[in-house]
Amino acid sequence: MREIKVGILGFGTVGSGTVKILQDNADAISARIGAEIVVSRVAVRDLTKPRDVSLHAPTLTTNPQDITDDPDIEIVAELIGGVEPARTLVERAIANGKNIVTANKEMVAKVGHDLRIAAQSSGKDFFMEASVAGGIPIIATLGESLAGNQVREIAGIVNGTTNYILTKMTQEGAAFEKVLSEAQSLGYAEAEPSSDVDGYDAQYKIAILASLAFGSRVNVEDVQVEGIRHISPRDIVVAKELGYRIKLIATAQGSPNGMRVRVNPTLLPLKHPLATVDGVFNGVFVRGDAVGDLTLIGRGAGSLPTGSAVVGDIIHCARNIVAGATGRVPYMASHDLPMLPAASSWSKFYARVRVLDRPKALAAIATIFGDHDVSIESVIQRAMPDEEAEIVWVTHEVREQDVHAALATIHALPVVRSVDTALRVME
Ligand code: NAP
Ligand code: HSE
């Protein structure tokens, strides 16, 4: 049987899962391709580090160019992460005629367009299924299975760390900091958690999905991002009482006029398919003009689920090599759609305001909302200690800029102690 040699850059969480699947399922994989996949080299930084998976052959190297420059290697899987040196290594591998598989959302979101063009110009494949939502096959779903649709909307829970934190806060009533340190000790959250909890990981992922769905380049910096540090146990409790769950939702909406792509903590009604996607699980909801609504739910991170996506892409490349049909890159950007301003978007909103418990406090706030064309769907007031009251407002669909302008004016009222939270509500 023909051998296809694969070089792997990185042997951490994803690299070791990838190698394990290739080794454990070798016979089935060979049968599916009609060729044998041979992991011929794996690049790491530290040769002495203990590894979770033992390689069948002594193939570790600390020189990535042993992979990018090896003429026998046909597929390079980049599983290092970050933009550099990953990007330079991928460029070098493409220049040397390799097909590329990557799990690297930051690299794909920031410089993926140029890399895909380089791969296409060289007649090589460029696949990236693992870069969004780990084991969930959302890239192939959008790029191939739904390619006949006009995708109207995507909404996703695409970051497992924040979903784990919000789920624990919901189930245990615990504060953000406490759950974050638990997640760090369990190895779910990084020691430096900003990429997850401040929303940047989700920002990269939704930029990739929007680009696939709308066929447009998406500048990552234009994707509005709001993390979850300011979500309090009180918001979670109040949202629950109102019949909602708070989730970090990455959304992309497209029309011929432009697109809106953003990441925000959002209240979801319990009937929404993403409301019950809990723990480290991810979920992606897609609305297409032909297919209607569909939701994919699964493991968005971890060694084997992410390795599953990487191995799927390696098999895809290998089949194309066997068929003499490489050169396929996901269709992403044929034009540049404008990014529509978030301020002019419409949504329901939840706002929690603390006031001095005095006559006319509620009326004063209601008047300001009305003056800004913000129509109220429901309002709940509760007396609190220290002669304060908490007022929770849920609006009808209103313009985002009107809500923010109203809340700024409300904040300045002498009777208002604080505007604690303002969050979008999805129906
Ligand atoms: P990781 O555990 O930190 O592993 C990174 C690997 O890259 C390590 O083996 C490291 O070597 C190696 N490496 C780093 N710099 C290198 C260099 N200059 N030359 C050679 N090797 C180098 O990271 P990971 O979690 O597997 O993530 C890999 C990629 O997958 C990232 O793009 C990440 O965003 C993406 N991803 C991860 C997950 C997940 O669940 N972890 C899910 C989806 C996507 P040493 O082992 O010697 O340090
Ligand atoms: N840090 C990411 C998460 C890993 O928590 O979802 C998967 O991309």
Side-chain angles (χ1 to χ4, degrees):
M1 193 181 264
R2 177 179 175 182
E3 281 187 358
I4 294 177
K5 290 199 165 60
V6 177
I8 299 184
L9 301 169
F11 198 29
T13 305
V14 181
S16 55
T18 299
V19 171
K20 181 169 168 48
I21 297 167
L22 287 171
Q23 291 184 166
D24 289 356
N25 297 344
D27 291 344
I29 290 171
S30 300
R32 283 169 196 158
I33 300 170
E36 188 187 348
I37 296 290
V38 175
V39 177
S40 71
R41 294 268 40 196
V42 179
V44 294
R45 274 175 306 202
D46 179 359
L47 287 176
T48 64
K49 211 188 234 184
R51 302 287 165 186
D52 295 339
V53 175
S54 38
L55 290 160
H56 287 172
T59 52
L60 284 188
T61 173
T62 53
N63 181 5
Q65 291 176 16
D66 288 344
I67 290 170
T68 57
D69 297 10
D70 180 337
D72 293 334
I73 288 177
E74 293 182 82
I75 303 169
V76 171
E78 182 282 305
L79 309 175
I80 290 176
V83 176
E84 288 298 346
R87 170 205 199 153
T88 304
L89 293 170
V90 168
E91 281 172 347
R92 192 174 174 109
I94 292 171
N96 287 330
K98 317 298 178 206
N99 299 284
I100 304 296
V101 171
T102 182
N104 190 335
K105 60 240 163 183
E106 186 176 357
M107 181 184 76
V108 172
K110 289 183 175 168
V111 296
H113 182 73
D114 294 342
L115 295 176
R116 288 192 309 276
I117 288 181
Q120 200 166 25
S121 315
S122 306
K124 297 297 161 192
D125 287 342
F126 184 98
F127 292 130
M128 53 187 199
E129 185 61 70
S131 64
V132 180
I136 300 178
I138 184 62
I139 304 270
T141 299
L142 281 175
E144 301 192 7
S145 314
L146 300 184
N149 283 254
Q150 302 279 358
V151 174
R152 306 288 188 214
E153 184 181 347
I154 301 172
I157 296 172
V158 290
N159 182 266
T161 306
T162 45
N163 204 37
Y164 173 84
I165 293 172
L166 290 172
T167 302
K168 279 279 182 185
M169 288 174 73
T170 305
Q171 289 170 347
E172 296 172 7
F176 168 79
E177 291 79 11
K178 181 173 176 290
V179 183
L180 172 61
S181 62
E182 254 174 52
Q184 285 169 320
S185 59
L186 287 168
Y188 292 144
E190 302 284 334
E192 207 311 274
S194 177
S195 175
D196 292 316
V197 301
D198 295 322
Y200 303 117
D201 177 82
Q203 185 191 38
Y204 302 144
K205 291 169 177 170
I206 195 66
I208 296 170
L209 295 186
S211 184
L212 272 167
F214 310 135
S216 171
R217 262 190 289 210
V218 177
N219 181 4
V220 176
E221 272 93 55
D222 294 341
V223 176
Q224 192 205 68
V225 61
E226 178 188 356
I228 65 162
R229 288 184 199 265
H230 60 301
I231 303 298
S232 70
R234 182 74 194 141
D235 290 314
I236 303 247
V237 167
V238 173
K240 247 170 135 174
E241 285 171 6
L242 294 169
Y244 294 100
R245 292 285 181 273
I246 299 180
K247 299 284 183 187
L248 185 66
I249 299 292
T251 54
Q253 291 164 321
S255 72
N257 301 330
M259 54 190 168
R260 281 201 173 84
V261 190
R262 56 195 294 169
V263 177
N264 302 93
T266 303
L267 274 72
L268 296 185
L270 275 177
K271 64 175 189 282
H272 193 287
L274 297 179
T276 46
V277 174
D278 282 338
V280 291
F281 275 73
N282 282 194
V284 185
F285 166 87
V286 182
R287 175 166 292 164
D289 63 346
V291 74
D293 295 353
L294 68 90
T295 307
L296 285 80
I297 296 170
R299 292 176 200 280
S303 187
L304 291 178
T306 313
S308 159
V310 174
V311 171
D313 279 352
I314 290 174
I315 292 172
H316 211 145
C317 280
R319 283 180 170 153
N320 286 349
I321 291 168
V322 169
T326 60
R328 290 190 54 226
V329 302
Y331 167 80
M332 287 179 89
S334 58
H335 55 289
D336 288 316
L337 271 180
M339 191 72 87
L340 301 172
S344 62
S345 71
W346 288 71
S347 172
K348 288 174 69 166
F349 276 84
Y350 152 101
R352 192 164 57 81
V353 180
R354 270 191 307 136
V355 297
L356 288 173
D357 203 351
R358 300 276 186 274
K360 296 191 181 166
L362 190 145
I365 296 174
T367 302
I368 291 172
F369 275 133
D371 290 346
H372 286 83
D373 286 333
V374 174
S375 167
I376 302 303
E377 182 183 279
S378 70
V379 55
I380 301 170
Q381 176 171 332
R382 278 193 199 87
M384 304 294 274
D386 302 326
E387 293 185 43
E388 286 187 7
E390 175 190 73
I391 313 180
V392 175
W393 307 80
V394 177
T395 72
H396 286 293
E397 290 241 325
V398 293
R399 248 186 345 171
E400 182 157 345
Q401 65 193 26
D402 294 336
V403 173
H404 289 309
L407 287 173
T409 311
I410 288 165
H411 192 247
L413 284 175
V415 77
V416 169
R417 277 278 164 88
S418 58
V419 175
D420 286 338
T421 326
L423 299 172
R424 286 155 58 85
V425 179
M426 191 178 266
E427 288 303 333

